[in-house]
Amino acid sequence: MALDLETREQLIDTIRRFVSERLRPLEAKVAEEDEIPDEVIDEMRQLGLFGLSIPEEFGGLGLSMEDECLVGIEFGRTSPAFRSAFGTNVGIGSQGLVMFGNEEQKHRWLPGIASGDIITSFALTEPEAGSDSAAVRTRARRDGDHYVLDGSKIYITNADKAGLFTVMARTNPDEKRAAGVSAFLVPGSSPGLSVGPPERKMGQQGAHICTVSFDGVRVPAANRLGEEGSGFKVAMQVLDRGRLHLSAVCVGVAERLITDCVAFASERRQFGKPIAEFQLVQAMIADSKTETLAARALMLETARKRDAGENVTLEAAASKLFASEMVGRVADRAVQIFGGAGYVADHGIERFYRDVRIFRIYEGTSQIQQLVIARETLKRGG
C-alpha cells in the first residue's frame, strides 16, 4: 500500500535522522567489532524496519515498492551492514512467504517477522549452485507427512541469527533442473540444522554470512511453500523485488559518497586552491552525479511499474545491473578524489569501496542480470 505524501515524508524524515544521528557515528565501531549493537537492533524494531514490506494485517508497514525504495536510499547513506540487519526480513527472507504462503503459514510466521522477533534467512546458494540456482543439490526426501532435508548452503546472510530459513531443496532427483526444486520454511531450531561461524569478508563487517548444513532435518509437509517443484518460481519472483531494493541502497551509497567528495574537495587545497576548482576533479564529480541520477530515475520508475502490477523482470534486472556497477565506479572515484586520505581508514572511504563490491554479486551477479535483460528483451521483441 502506497503511503500518502505527508505520511511518507514523516517516515523518510524519521529514518533520515536515525541514519544521520544514530547510525553514522557507529560506522567505525561496527566495522572494527564486526557486530551491530543489540540496542541499535532494538531501535530498528521499534521503528518498524523489519516489517517494511509485510502487509499491515500481519503487523508490518505494508509499504509499496516505491516507498520501500525511498527507505532503501536513506539506509544507503550509512554502512550497508545496518541495512543488512533487517534486509532479509524485508526482502528475500520473507517475500516468498508473503507471495506464496498459505493463510496458516502467514499467520504463524509473518507477525514475528514484521516485529523483528524472528530473523529470516534465504538459503539458496550452494558450492555448485549460485548463479545456476536451478542446480541445487540439497535434497528434500518425502517421508509420510514430512520431508527430510540433507545438504548444505553457503554464504547465507543472517544465518547465525535466523529463526526461520526459506530453503531451496530438490524434491525430484530425476528432474535435474528447475522443475525438481521446491521451497520450504525451516525453523532455525530444527534438529539436524547447524550453522557455521561467520565468514571473514572483504567488506560489510557487521553483516554476517555463514554455511548452513542440513543433516536429516525433518520438515512438515505443511511447511512447503507453494506446490512441489515450484521453488524456482518462488526464488525468481522474490529476487525481482530484492533487486529493486538493492538498487535503491546503491543509489543511497552513491549519494553519500558524492556528498563526502564535495565536502572534501571544497576544503582540500593543492597548488594554492581547493581541489574542487580543478576541472578533472569536477569531471569525476559530474560523472558520479549523472550516473547516480540515472540509476535513481530507472529504479523509481521500475518500482512504480511494479506497484501498478506490471511485469518488471527486465527492468528490475536492468536497474540492479546499472545501479550496482554505478556505485562501484562512484566509490572508485571517491578514493581518487580523496587521494591518500581515501586509502586510509580515517574517512571511511576505503570501507565503502570494499562494502559496495558485493552489490555486483549477490541477488544475481551483473552477468546474470545481463542474461535476464537479454532474454526478456528477446521475449518482448525489442
Side-chain angles (χ1 to χ4, degrees):
M1 181 189 75
L3 299 176
D4 63 80
L5 187 57
E6 182 180 358
T7 303
R8 174 199 280 181
E9 289 177 350
Q10 290 174 347
L11 174 64
I12 296 301
D13 182 64
T14 298
I15 291 173
R16 183 175 295 136
R17 285 187 286 107
F18 179 65
V19 167
S20 175
E21 298 170 10
R22 187 71 174 105
L23 302 186
R24 287 185 58 159
L26 292 173
E27 289 173 352
K29 173 182 171 66
V30 168
E32 181 77 21
E33 299 180 359
D34 194 23
E35 194 71 52
I36 297 173
D38 289 340
E39 60 268 23
V40 172
I41 300 296
D42 288 339
E43 291 169 34
M44 290 180 177
R45 291 190 178 103
Q46 293 166 20
L47 286 170
L49 295 175
F50 287 86
L52 292 176
S53 62
I54 294 173
E56 290 182 272
E57 63 181 298
F58 301 109
L61 297 183
L63 297 188
S64 68
M65 190 74 249
E66 181 181 0
D67 291 339
E68 181 185 324
C69 284
L70 292 173
V71 172
I73 290 172
E74 296 305 320
F75 264 89
R77 301 183 199 279
T78 187
S79 294
F82 289 114
R83 196 274 327 172
S84 187
F86 62 86
T88 48
N89 276 38
V90 171
I92 56 177
S94 71
Q95 289 306 297
L97 183 52
V98 170
M99 296 176 188
F100 297 95
N102 58 43
E103 288 304 306
E104 181 180 351
Q105 291 170 337
K106 290 179 179 179
H107 280 91
R108 179 182 178 188
W109 296 108
L110 286 179
I113 295 171
S115 67
D117 292 332
I118 298 172
I119 302 299
T120 61
S121 199
F122 186 73
L124 169 61
T125 304
E126 299 178 2
E128 299 296 328
S131 294
D132 186 6
S133 54
V136 298
R137 296 184 179 181
T138 294
R139 178 75 196 281
R141 173 177 55 84
R142 187 69 184 250
D143 181 21
D145 59 356
H146 284 72
Y147 287 86
V148 180
L149 271 62
D150 290 284
S152 63
K153 304 289 184 177
I154 59 173
Y155 312 143
I156 306 304
T157 301
N158 286 341
D160 56 338
K161 298 178 176 63
L164 181 68
F165 292 86
T166 299
V167 182
M168 298 294 151
R170 186 164 298 282
T171 45
N172 183 352
D174 298 322
E175 174 57 69
K176 301 303 182 185
R177 303 304 298 168
V181 177
S182 302
F184 297 90
L185 299 169
V186 182
S189 59
S190 301
L193 187 157
S194 59
V195 178
E199 301 281 359
R200 296 180 62 190
K201 309 189 309 301
M202 177 180 180
Q204 294 206 20
Q205 278 67 40
H208 296 164
I209 60 173
C210 310
T211 295
V212 183
S213 299
F214 304 88
D215 183 9
V217 177
R218 294 184 65 82
V219 180
N223 283 24
R224 190 184 66 223
L225 267 179
E227 298 299 319
E228 191 169 287
S230 66
F232 188 74
K233 177 183 176 183
V234 172
M236 292 306 98
Q237 292 200 26
V238 166
L239 288 173
D240 269 358
R241 183 182 186 110
R243 286 166 181 170
L244 276 174
H245 179 101
L246 285 179
S247 299
V249 175
C250 289
V251 168
V253 174
E255 291 182 351
R256 156 75 183 270
L257 288 170
I258 292 169
T259 299
D260 288 352
C261 285
V262 168
F264 181 83
S266 298
E267 295 176 0
R268 172 67 165 161
R269 299 180 67 85
Q270 291 288 286
F271 304 101
K273 59 184 178 180
I275 65 172
E277 295 184 18
F278 299 140
Q279 288 184 338
L280 293 180
V281 172
Q282 292 175 359
M284 288 189 281
I285 292 173
D287 286 347
S288 295
K289 186 66 173 181
T290 301
E291 290 188 86
T292 302
L293 288 171
R296 185 185 182 106
L298 173 59
M299 175 267 298
L300 288 175
E301 179 187 29
T302 304
R304 292 178 190 123
K305 284 184 177 181
R306 189 183 187 282
D307 287 334
E310 296 183 35
N311 182 322
V312 295
T313 296
L314 188 160
E315 290 83 357
S319 182
K320 201 267 185 179
L321 172 65
F322 186 79
S324 62
E325 294 285 341
M326 172 277 295
V327 76
R329 292 189 292 270
V330 172
D332 185 73
R333 293 185 196 115
V335 173
Q336 197 69 15
I337 290 169
F338 272 73
Y343 196 73
V344 300
D346 292 355
H347 294 272
I349 299 299
E350 59 83 30
R351 185 181 66 245
F352 274 104
Y353 181 83
R354 290 182 286 105
D355 285 346
V356 302
R357 187 59 182 84
I358 189 63
F359 291 136
R360 292 152 63 187
I361 298 173
Y362 63 15
E363 297 203 31
T365 65
S366 290
Q367 289 66 42
I368 289 297
Q369 307 310 321
Q370 290 174 316
L371 294 177
V372 171
I373 294 163
R375 181 195 70 207
E376 294 299 314
T377 302
L378 290 168
K379 278 185 184 178
R380 298 183 189 184

